[in-house]
Structures are given as structure tokens and as C-alpha cells.
Amino acid sequence: MDYTLKEMMTIIAAREIRNDDIVFCGTGISMLAAMAAKNINAPESVIFFETGALDSRLEELPLAVGDSRVMYKTSANGGLLDSFAAMQNPVTGRHVIGILGAAQIDKFGNLNSTVIGDYHSPEIRFSGSGGGCDVASFVPRSIIFMQHEKRKFVNRLDYLTSPGYIDGKGGRKKAGLPDGGPIMVITNLAVMRFDETTKEMYLSGVYPGITPERVLMNMEIEVDISRVKEEIPPSEKELRLLREKCDHQRLIL
Amino acid sequence: MDYTLKEMMTIIAAREIRNDDIVFCGTGISMLAAMAAKNINAPESVIFFETGALDSRLEELPLAVGDSRVMYKTSANGGLLDSFAAMQNPVTGRHVIGILGAAQIDKFGNLNSTVIGDYHSPEIRFSGSGGGCDVASFVPRSIIFMQHEKRKFVNRLDYLTSPGYIDGKGGRKKAGLPDGGPIMVITNLAVMRFDETTKEMYLSGVYPGITPERVLMNMEIEVDISRVKEEIPPSEKELRLLREKCDHQRLIL
Amino acid sequence: MNLKQNKQTDLKTAISTYVKPGCHLSIGGFTINRNPMAAVYEIIRQKIKGLHLYAHSNGQGVDELIGGHCIASLEIAYAGSGKFASTCIRFKKAVQEKQILVEDYSNYQMTLRFLAGAMGIPFLPTRSSLGSDIIRQWGFSSEMRKATPGLPDDKLKVMDNPFKDWCDTQKVVVVPAINPDVTLIHVQQADLRGNCRIQGLTFADVEQAKAAKHLIITCEEICEDDVLKTDSDRNQIPFIHADAVIHIPFGAYPTACYRYYDYDPRYLKDYAAMANNDKAHGDYLETFIHGLDDHQGLLELVGQERLKTIQADPETGYASNLDRR
Amino acid sequence: MNLKQNKQTDLKTAISTYVKPGCHLSIGGFTINRNPMAAVYEIIRQKIKGLHLYAHSNGQGVDELIGGHCIASLEIAYAGSGKFASTCIRFKKAVQEKQILVEDYSNYQMTLRFLAGAMGIPFLPTRSSLGSDIIRQWGFSSEMRKATPGLPDDKLKVMDNPFKDWCDTQKVVVVPAINPDVTLIHVQQADLRGNCRIQGLTFADVEQAKAAKHLIITCEEICEDDVLKTDSDRNQIPFIHADAVIHIPFGAYPTACYRYYDYDPRYLKDYAAMANNDKAHGDYLETFIHGLDDHQGLLELVGQERLKTIQADPETGYASNLDRR
């Protein structure tokens, strides 16, 4: 069965979500990944938006985390205070998995979603942290979606918006952050994970037809490719549920 | 028209409440004074309970600030966080007048509602602060109800539960508190106010038939009696509205 | 917390599973309203001892737990039951006779401490209590604090405003977070997963629930599946915080439950009279708690007729014209 | 705040009375939902300049105020309008061309800052942003801060946990309180005194409203006297915070208002296209804002038919099957 790159990326993220996860979603593909997990492999996982919506019944795909579609048949309709407190909370927060995106990422999984260039005279200004920095600060696991381009996988971020492992092993603790950090980076070419000892990014999977060399060509940073495997494409069942249950209006796929 | 001492005390407090006041109430006579003000001289004043009830429609007298009777037809039913935040809030808090009681008071209007004797081996243990310390800390004006007894008007409190003027003029500022403090003490014999310069208590009014000397006999602390006047008893209208509108079940009066 | 679809259980199991001897407990409600009394009585019935209790003004529940010999230490703002006991009677006695250790805070401070726990931060600031003995007098010594794993080393601290005089504030009191091992609350409605809908004032229940490591919910009505997901603006506590849900009508009795029933003035008055005398209070414990199997037993002892007198008026939410003298 | 019984007024009066040139403003809503758009357009129409704006993720409203040349400086967490503009277009342009000063926070930090303002304390702590450039990079210099009366001397501060490692926390970031001169919110229902009932998510509206020196409320429905006092559990903002109440159906248009109408995808797409080009954006300002008398004018320009397509489905609260491509 044919599948698109977006479908592949969505399904790879979805497979990472477990039945006892509370999934923090942004818009777009991250929301789709959360919906896919719920409809495919983790039916008891809970979708959760920074705007305060918990456990939304997503009959249609929201186009923003503030979309009224996230408010329908929730377990509770709160506000920003509620959602971020639940992530910082020592009991509930430890169950949250974040799904994030960014304009730049470094080898320790730190993210920039604020500016390219100098902060005071930016070449390109982006939206800014939103809840991204909060999620990255608080939660034990996060998944990052990126476009695989040289200028996005950089040695030095122009601005560190959302902390990953900061400067490597022990970096979060030194900064005062709780345990946590990104578990994987999913791009249009490959999947990167982080070494347990060094907390440095390594190439863990490529999509069928993509060589590790091609991945490296699209990164400024150098990453270990010795552990790479081919990623398993979405199954027929995964694709069917994704298409029918998650984005039947085709707003993202 | 005959009146009881409780009626006199209630009306004297009620007269102090203005149309743009938000009245923080405890139970008993303080709640009755707030209801009396609303029904007699300050119809737009707002009754407000630490439990989170704002602007309650009191069809029956609550026997506790957690009584369900405070929840009926409020403007909002919140919780403790809401009520105390509204008092500490720099905008709304400046409109709040508190009505408090205590087991002991000193000449600077500091209150004890915690223990008689040593804190660790008390002779008598009372309920403790509740919201009393919070109100006394936050609000610009408060009225205090006391029984006029020697052991209650003391030179030194056994425990300072709720701050008045601490050690006199400038005492609150030095302690870090916002401007505020008690404006009067209403007892079964008299009314005391606080000197603008020294913040010391003085006798400002006695009830008909009570001499200043009798008041002094019932206090350990010495207070200036040079400014004393006779308090004006409740009018017929005040009494009628108090009896009919505020405590028709005669739970307090 | 857990994310199970069905957390319904019975009260005996929930209490024995989560409320361990010596654990740190908090209970919801305020003075004579929505105290989780069925759960309180079950703790007494199971003779669970040495509890460390966190309370703001949870009157009747606190006094019964103390009277039931369950409490070793107590952090509290106010122990009173309105007109029925301006100071809670067994509390007063226990403190004066040094049977329990007590440490005093204000209501706002206790609420902020639960909020800090719920927010996952170690403290919150307030201006309340500056210049007072709440700051100077500690109920628990430094030694006890250091020897007790669940307690911070300091009761509270005064600190300078880190932003100079921003907000016209020079100093604040910082109060340490509380994360109770267990919080017990009684609510009007809950569903099988533990979503809660409280009617009327929430007091500090929401913060206490979210601060807890384990949350036990008793409720007047238990709802299937999606009932509470309709109109979820009204749900204050989402299921992610809940561990156990137990359906117990009149679960707050003899305290009130807004829109369901009022407090029972006769019970509270009789309790106050019995609590005032050790012998009578011993009889009370035997007759009203230990001698009964469960909360249903208490409701039967009290009788349908009494319960009818406190039934809430559908308009006001309390029992209008109830004899409360 | 005031305690008046009737605070109803018209929008022109409310804006000109409270929103003064250079004042510190915050607006409610989130990205493309419940932004107080009628009020935003009125500010632009009145050509009020030099505003200092506080925003978390109030997308469309922020971008229109910037595009309308009203904003001098901005404290913000996120400027985006969902799928319609992943970065708000006039915002992006204004920052890149240095037409406005901007300072970055996270969403939680901005929310905490409003909460601190509402609570009357100078700061609140969080663990968010430790190790990030949100701490290191200040948008406003020390000199500007000291020269601007409404700004604290520091953006934020990192401090050690005053309770050692209580809650397994060694450090926290403290963020300073915000007390805006004016907060604008749009709600589903308000009464004449200013009690508010929001349906669906509240975002940070409640904190923004309570932190403000003055609160202007626009609403879909205005209720007489005691309507909202029945079932007041649903009222999130009591009247004591309110200064002005204005009845404006479709007052959040073109953003959504849960249970009343959806966002207008066509308007937001057209806006994005026009905002991308200075000339076209100039025409947009003329045609859709300055050339119209009031919000009613905009609704007439858009037309009843368009408004019908975004009408909320009574079951879901949004416009089901709306063409949103």
C-alpha cells in the first residue's frame, strides 16, 4: 500500500506512544500523531493541549491548539494554568510525552523556534516558544518533528528556546531542570535518537530508499551512523486508521 | 424601642460599611453586621466569604462560612484561592473591609486567636487563624469585635495571630505589610479607635449608661479616654431591618 | 494517579490500599460542608494510626480523626465547626493534653501550599502573616523536621522581593509545597475514571486533589462513561489525578453537600456534647463508628426520617427552614 | 474595577475612556479563538498608538494590533495563528524591520505573570526555561526598563530553592507580575454588572482579567440582573473586576467563539494573503477597519451568508464540516 512521507512520519511517532501516556500536542503533524496513537496502538493514551483541553474527542482535526474542536467532550475544559501545572506536577507530569517542532536543533536536542540571526536584529523571526519551552522543561520524554535540512541541524543554535539535554549528560540537572529530554527526532528522511551516555544525537533509522550519507549531507552537525536500521513503513492497518479516523478531511495529510 | 447589646454592636459595625465596600465576613455577629449594612445603609456593598462565595443571596443566616447558605445566588462560586487573591489583589483588595474577632487584642490592634499560654503547652487552645491572619495582613480597613474583659485587652499577646499595627506607626511597613489595619474595636461596652499618629487604641465611644471608668476597669491596657463620646443607639428603622431582614430565625440575635 | 478506564472500588479497599499508618493525609471540605466523612469514619474504623494530617479549615473531619486516635501530627489553619464548635472539641483537648503535635498556618497559606504541590513547584509567596507569630512559632522542631522525610527543613521563610519593590512589595513569606500521600474528597458527581464535578464552592479541594500522590474520591452520584464529558466546563478535577472512585450517597454526612443535603444540626450538636466528655466520646466512637460496618450503617442508625429533614431544597441547594437552633 | 450595578456602555466610549496612548494592554483569547476582535478593531480605528502589549499566544488580535500601528513594545510567548499563519505575518515583519520592541517568554511564564498580578504578589516561580535563552536574552535593556515606570528592572531571575531541595528542586525561575492598565476580553455571556461566563476553554482570560487595573468585557449575550447568579458555579470572573460591559454579537469574529460560531477560514486566509504585502495590507486596513464605523460594519461587509457558514453546531460547539482548506 502506498504511503506518503507525512504518513510515515506520523506513524513512527505514534508507535512511540504508550497506553499510559498523556500526550501533549501542538498543531499539525504532532496532533495527528497523537490521534493516530489513540486510534491504532495506544487507545488509553490521553490527548492533551496546552490551552487546557484534556482528553478531547477530536471528531475533526483542529487547525490550532486554541481551535474550538479541542473543547468538545473533554474530561475538563480548563486553561493554560491547568495544563502546564499538570506537566510540572510531580505525579501527572511524569506521564506526559511532548511532541514538538522547531526551526533549528542541535546535537543535544535543544530547540530554536524564536529567531534566525541575532535576537535583537533577526534575519527571520519565528512564532517563539509558546508552550514549547515549558513542555521541554517539564516532561520526561519528547518527540521532535523536523525538516531535514543543513541549516536546521546546526552546531550552534541562534537562540535556545526549548531545552533538550543542554550540553550533554548531566546538563539538565546542572541547569536545574527535572529529568527528561527528547527521545527521538523524526524528519522527512530519518529518525535520530540520543545516546544514553553522552546524550548526543545519533542516526537510528532511515526510511526505505534513503542512505545514511544522504542524511548526513543534510545536517551541519555530525552524528554517529553506526547504529542505523531501516524504519518499518506504516502497515495497511495503520494507514487505514490514520486516513479514516484521524484526518478524513485531508487537512494535514 | 428596646434593643439588645448584640443589636447595638451589630448596628455600630454596619454603619461603618460604605456603598463601595467589599465586606469580608466571618460567622456570627460579623456576618450579621455585613447583612445589616447591606439592608440598611450600604445596599451596594458586597458580602464576601473566604470560602470563595462572592455576593451571596443570604436568605437564611449561615452558621459557618462554609455553610451551603453562602453558595446560593452568588456572583461566583470559587474557592479559597479566589477569595484571598481578591483581598491581596492591588485593585480589588483596596476595597475590602474585614470584620474579625479574637481571644486577645493589644493596644496596636494585633489579635490572638490561637492560644492562651505557651504555644507548645497551651492552657487554652483556640481554633487558630483561619483566614483571620490573611485578612488582617491584606486589607486596608478592618473592624474587630471583642468581649470587653481584662484578660482579653492585654499588654502582651500570648500569640500574635493577625497583625494590626504591629508596634505602632510604621510597624506594618517595617514588617513588609501593605497599608491597612483595624479602624475600630467594638465590644459589649464601648468602641475603640486608633490614633492616627501613634496607631494606639483610644476610647472613642461608650454605650448609654456605661462610664469610661468601667471600660478601663475591664482592660489590662491603658487607653486614652479624652476623646470619648456616647454612641448613638440603633434607630427604630435600623432595628426593624436588622430583625426582619437579617436574622428572622433568631439564630444570633 | 492512573489512566484506567474504571477506578470504581469499595471504600474499605480504597482506604486500606492507600491510607497507610503514618502516611501524610489531606481531606477536602470546609468546617461543616463536604467533608469526606464516610472515608474519615472508615479510617477510624480501620484504626489507622499515626497519620500526619494537612488541613486548612476542614472542621468536622479533622475533629473526628483526632478523636478517633488516628492523628499524630497536624498542620492546620483553623479547627472549628461554625456555630457547633467555635474550636473543634477533640482537637482542643488533644492539643492542650499534648496528644498531638500541631503547627499553625493561615487558610491562604495552607491553600497556597496545596497549590504549590499541584503546580510542581517547591513554594509560593504571599504577604500574609508578615510580623505575626505564624512566622516565629514553629510547631515542629528543626530536629523533628530533619528526622521526618516528608517535611521540609523550614516551616516557612521571609525573603526580600527579588524584583526590588515591584508591586510595592518589599518582602514576602514563602510557604513550602505539600504533596500529601493521599487526599480524600467527597464530590457531588464523579465518573468511573474519576472526573469530578463539584457543585457550589470548591474550597481548596481542587488543589488538594491535584497535589496528592493518590486521590480517593467518594461521590453522591457515579456516572457511566461519557456523562460528565458533556458540559465538561463544569468538571474541576480531571481523571488523570484519580486513583479510586467510590459511590457513597450521603458520603459527607453529617456535614453538608450542596444541592444534595444540608448538615445535620442535631448530629453535630449531639457530637459536640459527647466530644466534651471523654466517657461519652468513647461511647460515641463505639456506637457511631466502631460498632457499625460501614457508612450505610450510620445512615440506618440515624434513620430515613432524620435524613429527610436535611434534604436540599432544589431551588436553594440547602434545607430551607431547617431547625438549626 | 467598580461596584456599580450597571456597567453597560458602547465600545467607542469604553476604548477611548480606558485605552490611552502608551498604556499597558493585554487581550484575551488564544491564536484564532475568542480574541476580543471588535475591541481590537476599535483601538485601530481610534488610532491609539504606542501601546505596550502583553500576550501569551493571542494570535490574530496581536497581529492586527501590530499591523494597525498601535504597538510600540510587546511581551509575548507565541505569535501564530495556527494553520493560517505559523508565525503571525505583521508581527514577523515588524520585528524583522525593528518597528516594535519584543521580549520573549514562554506561555506558562506569561500566564504565571498574569496570575501573580491577579494574586497581588510580585512574582511566581517555575522550573520552565532553565538553561534556555529566554533567561539570557532580554528584549528590553536595563536602561529602558529603568526609564519605563510600568516595567520591573529585571526580565526574570534564577534563584535557589529557599527550601533546599524540597520537591527535588534546586533552582527556580521567578517571573515578575503583570498588572496591565487594561485587559480586553470577549466572553459568551456577561451581565450588566460584569459577571462573566466563559464557555469552553478559558485560556488565560481569567488571570488577565483579574490582574488588570481596568477590565473591558465584550460579550455575545448580555444578561439582565440575576440571570447569571443562577448556576453561578459557571461564572469565572465576578463583577468586582469589571469596568465596562459591551454587548457585541460576533465580537470575536473572525476568530471563533465556542458554542456561538467558528473562526472564518476565508477571512483568516484572505487576511494572511493581504498581510504578506504592504500595499495590500494598507488596503485591508482601509477597507476592513478604518473605512467602517464599527464592528457591525464589518459584519455587514462580510455578509449574513458567510456568517451562517460558521455558525456553531449546537452539539459540538463549532461549525461541523466547515470548509477549512
Side-chain angles (χ1 to χ4, degrees):
Chain A
M1 198 158 162
D2 273 359
Y3 59 88
T4 66
L5 200 53
K6 256 194 188 154
E7 288 170 337
M8 176 91 178
M9 293 167 72
T10 306
I11 292 297
I12 287 174
R15 287 171 185 161
E16 217 53 42
I17 294 166
R18 305 184 296 224
N19 233 349
D20 60 347
D21 280 344
I22 302 170
V23 188
F24 168 89
C25 287
T27 43
I29 194 167
S30 84
M31 204 182 279
L32 206 55
M35 289 174 74
K38 206 168 163 56
N39 280 290
I40 299 168
N41 54 297
E44 294 197 357
S45 65
V46 177
I47 295 184
F48 167 55
F49 298 96
E50 63 179 309
T51 41
L54 185 92
D55 193 30
S56 313
R57 168 104 22 106
L58 297 174
E59 305 264 344
E60 294 188 7
L61 202 72
L63 296 187
V65 296
D67 195 313
S68 296
R69 283 157 189 78
V70 308
M71 306 181 192
Y72 179 58
K73 292 227 172 162
T74 55
S75 279
N77 273 335
L80 276 67
L81 280 182
D82 300 295
S83 68
F84 291 115
M87 279 189 258
Q88 200 178 207
N89 181 299
V91 180
T92 49
R94 296 287 95 189
H95 287 255
V96 179
I97 180 166
I99 313 185
L100 299 169
Q104 287 182 330
I105 185 168
D106 69 14
K107 69 176 174 182
F108 295 118
N110 303 302
L111 304 177
N112 173 12
S113 51
T114 305
V115 290
I116 298 293
D118 178 63
Y119 180 62
H120 297 278
S121 313
E123 280 163 57
I124 308 173
R125 170 72 212 203
F126 299 108
S127 59
S129 158
C133 171
D134 304 310
V135 178
S137 297
F138 298 149
V139 313
R141 291 152 68 221
S142 52
I143 296 172
I144 298 160
F145 279 110
M146 293 289 298
Q147 282 299 307
H148 222 133
E149 297 172 30
K150 215 174 183 106
R151 59 187 183 128
K152 297 196 167 197
F153 283 77
V154 295
N155 286 315
R156 209 185 136 71
L157 301 177
D158 288 359
Y159 186 101
L160 197 171
T161 312
S162 303
Y165 296 106
I166 316 269
D167 56 0
K169 182 90 179 170
R172 288 180 67 92
K173 197 178 166 63
K174 214 162 48 197
L177 292 170
D179 285 345
I183 55 167
M184 69 199 303
V185 184
I186 301 172
T187 77
N188 47 318
L189 299 177
V191 176
M192 268 74 55
R193 291 180 185 266
F194 294 84
D195 185 85
E196 275 202 27
T197 310
T198 63
K199 299 296 180 190
E200 270 191 53
M201 192 187 291
Y202 68 90
L203 185 64
S204 76
V206 285
Y207 302 154
I210 309 286
T211 62
E213 291 68 31
R214 174 149 169 228
V215 174
L216 285 183
M217 267 174 50
N218 283 283
M219 303 171 87
E220 186 183 297
I221 50 177
E222 291 210 27
V223 300
D224 173 25
I225 60 170
S226 69
R227 284 170 270 185
V228 69
K229 288 179 185 161
E230 192 173 274
E231 290 290 332
I232 299 158
S235 71
E236 210 162 306
K237 181 187 162 206
E238 284 171 329
L239 281 174
R240 187 171 38 78
L241 289 169
L242 176 62
R243 290 172 187 171
E244 288 170 14
K245 298 274 187 180
C246 306
D247 187 17
H248 62 90
Q249 295 176 317
R250 292 284 160 146
L251 289 165
I252 292 177
L253 289 175
Chain B
M1 198 161 161
D2 272 0
Y3 60 88
T4 67
L5 200 53
K6 256 194 188 152
E7 287 170 336
M8 175 92 178
M9 293 167 72
T10 306
I11 292 298
I12 287 174
R15 288 171 185 160
E16 218 51 43
I17 294 167
R18 305 184 296 224
N19 234 349
D20 59 348
D21 280 343
I22 303 170
V23 189
F24 168 89
C25 286
T27 42
I29 194 168
S30 84
M31 204 182 281
L32 205 55
M35 290 174 73
K38 205 166 164 56
N39 281 289
I40 299 167
N41 52 298
E44 295 196 358
S45 64
V46 176
I47 295 184
F48 168 55
F49 298 97
E50 62 180 308
T51 42
L54 185 91
D55 192 31
S56 315
R57 170 105 21 107
L58 297 174
E59 305 264 342
E60 293 188 6
L61 202 72
L63 296 187
V65 295
D67 195 313
S68 296
R69 283 157 190 78
V70 307
M71 305 181 193
Y72 179 58
K73 293 227 172 164
T74 56
S75 279
N77 272 336
L80 276 67
L81 280 183
D82 300 294
S83 69
F84 291 115
M87 279 189 257
Q88 200 178 207
N89 181 297
V91 180
T92 48
R94 296 287 94 188
H95 287 255
V96 178
I97 182 167
I99 313 184
L100 300 168
Q104 288 182 329
I105 185 168
D106 70 14
K107 68 176 173 180
F108 295 119
N110 303 301
L111 304 178
N112 173 11
S113 51
T114 305
V115 290
I116 298 294
D118 177 63
Y119 180 61
H120 297 278
S121 313
E123 280 164 56
I124 308 173
R125 171 72 213 203
F126 298 109
S127 59
S129 159
C133 172
D134 304 310
V135 178
S137 297
F138 298 148
V139 312
R141 292 153 68 222
S142 53
I143 296 171
I144 299 160
F145 279 110
M146 293 289 298
Q147 283 299 306
H148 224 131
E149 297 173 31
K150 216 176 182 104
R151 59 186 185 130
K152 297 196 168 196
F153 284 78
V154 296
N155 286 315
R156 209 185 136 71
L157 301 178
D158 288 0
Y159 186 101
L160 197 170
T161 312
S162 303
Y165 297 105
I166 315 272
D167 55 1
K169 181 92 180 167
R172 288 180 68 92
K173 197 177 167 65
K174 212 163 50 198
L177 291 170
D179 284 345
I183 55 168
M184 68 199 303
V185 184
I186 302 171
T187 77
N188 47 319
L189 300 177
V191 175
M192 268 73 54
R193 292 180 184 267
F194 294 85
D195 184 85
E196 275 202 28
T197 310
T198 63
K199 298 298 179 188
E200 269 190 54
M201 193 186 290
Y202 69 89
L203 184 64
S204 75
V206 286
Y207 302 153
I210 308 287
T211 62
E213 291 67 34
R214 175 149 167 228
V215 175
L216 284 183
M217 268 175 50
N218 283 283
M219 302 171 87
E220 188 183 296
I221 50 177
E222 290 210 30
V223 299
D224 172 27
I225 59 170
S226 69
R227 286 171 268 185
V228 69
K229 288 180 185 159
E230 192 172 276
E231 291 291 330
I232 299 158
S235 71
E236 210 162 307
K237 181 186 161 207
E238 285 171 328
L239 280 174
R240 187 171 38 77
L241 288 167
L242 176 63
R243 289 171 188 172
E244 287 169 17
K245 297 275 186 179
C246 307
D247 187 18
H248 62 90
Q249 293 176 317
R250 293 285 158 143
L251 289 164
I252 292 176
L253 289 175
Chain C
M1 80 158 291
N2 69 61
L3 301 185
K4 272 192 265 174
Q5 295 294 315
N6 188 337
K7 301 176 189 170
Q8 190 171 15
T9 181
D10 64 283
L11 189 57
K12 277 190 203 316
T13 306
I15 296 296
S16 63
T17 305
Y18 296 107
V19 185
K20 300 295 182 191
C23 83
H24 289 217
L25 181 74
S26 87
I27 61 173
F30 197 96
T31 57
I32 51 174
N33 210 314
R34 229 167 26 65
N35 278 230
M37 295 309 296
V40 161
Y41 291 137
E42 183 57 31
I43 290 173
I44 299 171
R45 204 174 283 118
Q46 292 192 16
K47 299 187 175 170
I48 301 168
K49 306 286 181 192
L51 298 174
H52 184 91
L53 185 64
Y54 300 105
H56 43 85
S57 295
N58 325 71
Q60 188 67 18
V62 166
D63 206 46
E64 299 244 26
L65 281 171
I66 294 170
H69 311 296
C70 303
I71 305 301
S73 43
L74 175 63
E75 304 187 33
I76 195 166
Y78 183 84
S81 297
K83 204 198 169 196
F84 302 98
S86 60
T87 302
C88 286
I89 296 160
R90 299 310 298 181
F91 159 83
K92 185 189 189 92
K93 209 173 170 68
V95 177
Q96 291 176 184
E97 294 175 3
K98 294 188 164 191
Q99 288 159 1
I100 59 170
L101 272 178
V102 62
E103 182 160 273
D104 279 83
Y105 296 85
S106 73
N107 264 343
Y108 191 40
Q109 289 176 334
M110 287 306 290
T111 309
L112 289 175
R113 296 181 66 196
F114 291 120
L115 177 62
M119 293 170 85
I121 43 173
F123 67 92
L124 278 170
T126 175
R127 300 177 81 175
S128 178
S129 84
L130 283 162
S132 81
D133 281 335
I134 289 179
I135 291 176
R136 286 182 288 262
Q137 295 279 13
W138 294 16
F140 310 147
S141 66
S142 267
E143 297 73 49
M144 175 191 167
R145 292 182 169 282
K146 280 171 191 150
T148 313
L151 295 183
D153 285 0
D154 293 281
K155 181 189 178 187
L156 40 67
K157 285 191 160 185
V158 177
M159 60 176 244
D160 287 338
N161 179 356
F163 296 94
K164 281 200 198 148
D165 54 359
W166 186 238
C167 299
D168 288 324
T169 301
Q170 285 72 44
K171 294 179 195 176
V172 291
V173 181
V174 286
V175 290
I178 296 172
N179 288 112
D181 293 315
V182 189
T183 288
L184 307 171
I185 59 170
H186 183 74
V187 304
Q188 281 85 353
Q189 292 173 295
D191 66 19
L192 297 171
R193 300 166 85 191
N195 287 311
C196 296
R197 186 173 294 181
I198 296 172
Q199 292 174 42
L201 299 174
T202 55
F203 306 127
D205 282 33
V206 178
E207 293 73 36
Q208 291 177 269
K210 292 183 175 180
K213 291 172 194 152
H214 298 291
L215 172 62
I216 301 177
I217 300 155
T218 59
C219 58
E220 293 297 324
E221 282 185 51
I222 195 153
C223 305
E224 297 283 328
D225 294 340
D226 275 6
V227 175
L228 296 188
K229 292 194 79 176
T230 303
D231 200 11
S232 53
D233 296 6
R234 313 188 72 129
N235 304 346
Q236 298 94 342
I237 304 168
F239 72 98
I240 57 169
H241 301 279
D243 288 272
V245 184
I246 308 110
H247 181 214
I248 306 187
F250 283 95
Y253 180 88
T255 71
C257 187
Y258 188 55
R259 300 219 163 277
Y260 285 75
Y261 45 89
D262 217 323
Y263 45 81
D264 182 352
R266 201 169 124 199
Y267 192 104
L268 295 174
K269 252 172 58 186
D270 291 351
Y271 169 84
M274 289 183 283
N276 249 319
N277 172 294
D278 283 351
K279 169 74 180 66
H281 182 255
D283 294 345
Y284 168 79
L285 287 177
E286 199 40 55
T287 310
F288 289 85
I289 304 175
H290 293 298
L292 304 172
D293 281 339
D294 54 21
H295 203 59
Q296 190 51 39
L298 178 64
L299 301 179
E300 282 163 19
L301 186 66
V302 167
Q304 277 303 317
E305 214 161 311
R306 269 272 281 290
L307 296 181
K308 236 181 254 160
T309 65
I310 61 169
Q311 201 176 354
D313 179 322
E315 163 61 19
T316 61
Y318 55 80
S320 304
N321 295 311
L322 175 64
D323 184 354
R324 300 181 292 147
R325 281 164 308 183
Chain D
M1 81 158 289
N2 69 62
L3 302 184
K4 272 192 265 173
Q5 294 293 314
N6 189 339
K7 301 176 189 170
Q8 190 171 16
T9 181
D10 64 283
L11 189 56
K12 277 188 203 317
T13 307
I15 296 296
S16 64
T17 305
Y18 296 108
V19 185
K20 300 295 182 192
C23 84
H24 289 217
L25 182 74
S26 85
I27 62 173
F30 198 95
T31 58
I32 50 173
N33 210 316
R34 227 164 30 64
N35 278 232
M37 294 309 296
V40 161
Y41 291 135
E42 184 56 31
I43 290 174
I44 299 172
R45 205 174 282 120
Q46 293 192 14
K47 300 189 174 170
I48 301 168
K49 306 285 181 194
L51 298 174
H52 184 90
L53 185 63
Y54 301 105
H56 44 85
S57 296
N58 326 71
Q60 189 66 18
V62 166
D63 207 45
E64 300 244 25
L65 282 171
I66 293 171
H69 311 296
C70 304
I71 305 300
S73 43
L74 176 63
E75 304 188 31
I76 195 167
Y78 184 85
S81 297
K83 205 197 168 197
F84 302 98
S86 60
T87 302
C88 286
I89 297 161
R90 300 310 297 182
F91 160 82
K92 186 187 189 91
K93 211 173 170 66
V95 177
Q96 291 176 184
E97 294 175 3
K98 294 188 165 193
Q99 289 160 0
I100 59 170
L101 272 178
V102 63
E103 183 161 272
D104 280 84
Y105 296 85
S106 73
N107 264 343
Y108 191 40
Q109 288 176 335
M110 287 307 290
T111 310
L112 289 175
R113 297 181 65 198
F114 291 121
L115 177 62
M119 292 169 85
I121 43 173
F123 67 92
L124 278 170
T126 175
R127 300 177 80 174
S128 179
S129 84
L130 284 163
S132 81
D133 280 335
I134 289 179
I135 292 177
R136 286 181 289 263
Q137 295 279 13
W138 294 16
F140 310 148
S141 65
S142 267
E143 297 72 50
M144 175 190 166
R145 292 182 170 282
K146 279 171 191 149
T148 313
L151 295 183
D153 285 359
D154 293 281
K155 180 187 179 189
L156 40 67
K157 285 192 161 186
V158 177
M159 60 176 244
D160 289 337
N161 178 355
F163 296 94
K164 280 200 198 149
D165 53 359
W166 186 237
C167 298
D168 288 325
T169 300
Q170 285 72 45
K171 294 179 195 176
V172 292
V173 181
V174 286
V175 290
I178 296 173
N179 288 111
D181 293 316
V182 189
T183 288
L184 308 171
I185 58 170
H186 183 74
V187 304
Q188 282 84 353
Q189 293 171 296
D191 66 19
L192 297 171
R193 300 165 83 191
N195 288 310
C196 296
R197 184 174 296 181
I198 296 171
Q199 292 174 43
L201 298 174
T202 55
F203 306 129
D205 282 33
V206 178
E207 293 74 34
Q208 291 177 269
K210 292 182 176 180
K213 290 170 194 153
H214 297 292
L215 172 62
I216 300 177
I217 300 155
T218 59
C219 59
E220 293 296 324
E221 282 184 51
I222 195 153
C223 305
E224 297 283 327
D225 293 341
D226 274 6
V227 175
L228 296 186
K229 293 194 78 176
T230 303
D231 200 10
S232 53
D233 296 8
R234 314 188 72 130
N235 305 347
Q236 298 94 342
I237 304 168
F239 73 98
I240 56 168
H241 301 280
D243 289 90
V245 184
I246 308 110
H247 181 216
I248 306 187
F250 283 95
Y253 180 88
T255 71
C257 188
Y258 189 55
R259 300 219 163 276
Y260 284 75
Y261 46 89
D262 217 322
Y263 45 82
D264 183 351
R266 202 168 124 198
Y267 192 103
L268 295 174
K269 252 171 58 185
D270 291 349
Y271 170 83
M274 289 184 281
N276 250 319
N277 172 292
D278 282 353
K279 167 75 179 65
H281 182 255
D283 295 345
Y284 168 79
L285 287 178
E286 201 39 56
T287 310
F288 288 85
I289 304 175
H290 292 299
L292 303 172
D293 281 339
D294 54 19
H295 204 59
Q296 189 52 38
L298 177 64
L299 301 179
E300 281 163 18
L301 186 65
V302 167
Q304 275 303 315
E305 213 160 312
R306 269 272 280 290
L307 297 180
K308 237 181 252 161
T309 65
I310 61 168
Q311 201 176 354
D313 179 324
E315 163 61 18
T316 62
Y318 54 82
S320 305
N321 295 311
L322 175 63
D323 184 355
R324 298 182 293 146
R325 281 164 308 184

